[in-house]
Amino acid sequence: MNYKHAYHAGNFADVAKHILLLQLLAQFSAKAKPYYVLDAYGGRGLYSLASTETQKTKEAERGIIALEKAVEAGVNHLPKAVAQYLDDLAFARNKYDQFVYPGSPWWIAHHSEYHSADAPLRCEAFEAIADEYDALNYQLYQLPIGIHHRDAFEGVPAVVPPKERRGVILLDPPFEQEHKDFSRLVDLLVASYKKFGNGTFVLWYPIKNIDATELFYKKMKRTGIKKQLVCELNLYPNDVAVGLNGTGLFIINPPWQFADAAQEILEFLAPILKPADAPQMSLGEMAVVKWLVGE
């Protein structure tokens, strides 16, 4: 296992992913009905922005740190999910330490604990790598989230549909071999959707190999699954080799009006998170929200 998220914690991809995740959870909680959320790739749960890994890459400086500096300098309007994200992060820093950056399982569990009184949320996280699972279990054991040492490809089809009959399945894999990983994920999404057709499936993916990304879109179109939404934050054009040009969330069955909220969030983040050395791009090129298959 070569990938370690500690090198990338708090980067622009994390910022966009976690804010959009909070928007999803807020919309699910708006309905006074129980629901289920699974993070199928839990990671360590909590990361330190003062760690050797994050200090080596400095990616957080172009992510969460850039966002906080922009907010401190003054912005005209904060989308509600961005404000919630910053409030929740402040809570985490007060609870743990000033350098903490939470992973997706923490954001989900925190929402369950503090923001879901009218719509009870049952949440779980899988982690297949033993060391990461041990860290996740240790760091989040006091929070209301079930932690399981389990592989996503085996575990997701086994737990859907949940007893609540509504919920979110988050897939956030490391993508070490993009073409192969995308292909396997298409199969996983199709198999899981067959069992949980009204579920909301969310796949995070990196945008660095446009051929792999476009092939994934084509394969998903052919599945016949309805309501496929793409949300992208592109900071560099596709023809510029920088390692990570952008970040995306692919969502099956997003809640009503989520696309509008996602567009507002990404248009807010794009100029703030755009690196100084990035070529000029229009806001429409940077913040992309589009229906891949039928609205």
Side-chain angles (χ1 to χ4, degrees):
M1 182 69 172
N2 297 319
Y3 178 89
K4 284 186 70 176
H5 190 68
Y7 287 100
H8 314 291
N11 70 0
F12 78 91
D14 259 2
V15 171
K17 174 180 66 180
H18 291 144
I19 293 173
L20 290 172
L21 174 62
L22 289 181
Q23 177 64 37
L24 270 173
L25 295 178
Q27 291 192 230
F28 263 80
S29 292
K31 232 181 225 188
K33 293 181 180 179
Y35 66 106
Y36 170 75
V37 178
L38 170 67
D39 185 342
Y41 291 85
R44 302 182 68 83
L46 297 171
Y47 301 90
S48 173
L49 298 185
S51 70
T52 301
E53 293 91 344
T54 55
Q55 289 301 304
K56 182 176 182 179
T57 63
K58 303 289 187 181
E59 288 188 19
E61 292 184 2
R62 302 183 296 276
I64 180 55
I65 295 173
L67 174 59
E68 289 183 306
K69 285 181 178 178
V71 172
E72 287 172 6
V75 290
N76 292 328
H77 171 68
L78 274 181
K80 190 172 181 179
V82 176
Q84 187 65 67
Y85 167 80
L86 294 172
D87 286 348
D88 290 354
L89 181 57
F91 177 94
R93 288 174 175 169
N94 184 61
K95 181 174 182 177
Y96 303 107
D97 65 69
Q98 62 178 319
F99 299 110
V100 75
Y101 187 84
S104 300
W106 184 90
W107 297 99
I108 295 167
H110 181 68
H111 184 89
S112 172
E113 196 169 28
Y114 290 96
H115 306 293
S116 304
D118 294 330
L121 162 56
R122 180 173 67 92
C123 48
E124 296 183 300
F126 294 167
E127 178 50 56
I129 307 303
D131 289 347
E132 298 292 282
Y133 163 75
D134 287 342
L136 177 65
N137 197 36
Y138 174 76
Q139 296 192 121
L140 301 192
Y141 80 97
Q142 292 182 318
L143 296 181
I145 183 169
I147 308 296
H148 307 280
H149 189 194
R150 199 166 189 179
D151 176 75
F153 287 90
E154 173 275 325
V156 173
V159 300
V160 296
K163 63 184 180 182
E164 293 83 358
R165 311 304 295 184
R166 62 190 295 259
V168 178
I169 308 300
L170 174 64
L171 303 168
D172 182 9
F175 280 99
E176 293 184 310
Q177 298 176 301
E178 281 182 273
H179 280 288
K180 181 179 178 181
D181 291 337
F182 269 131
S183 184
R184 292 185 70 206
L185 287 161
V186 170
D187 293 339
L188 176 60
L189 287 168
V190 170
S192 302
Y193 178 82
K194 285 180 179 177
K195 299 185 68 177
F196 189 27
N198 67 324
T200 295
F201 294 87
V202 182
L203 171 66
W204 173 86
Y205 55 95
I207 300 175
K208 55 184 178 179
N209 180 338
I210 193 60
D211 291 336
T213 305
E214 291 293 340
L215 182 58
F216 166 69
Y217 293 162
K218 289 177 182 178
K219 287 183 175 180
M220 286 307 305
K221 280 184 178 180
R222 295 189 195 119
T223 64
I225 295 174
K226 305 297 183 184
K227 296 184 180 178
Q228 300 183 31
L229 184 70
V230 167
C231 303
E232 295 180 351
L233 178 61
N234 299 295
L235 300 186
Y236 289 89
N238 293 325
D239 59 356
V240 176
V242 292
L244 187 63
N245 295 58
T247 181
L249 278 191
F250 172 82
I251 306 173
I252 295 172
N253 292 331
W256 183 61
Q257 295 187 326
F258 175 81
D260 294 336
Q263 189 73 59
E264 179 191 18
I265 289 166
L266 295 181
E267 288 183 358
F268 172 82
L269 293 176
I272 292 173
L273 300 183
K274 182 179 181 291
D277 66 345
Q280 188 63 36
M281 298 172 68
S282 70
L283 189 58
E285 292 173 313
M286 297 176 69
V288 179
V289 178
K290 62 183 180 182
W291 290 97
L292 193 63
V293 178
E295 186 170 351

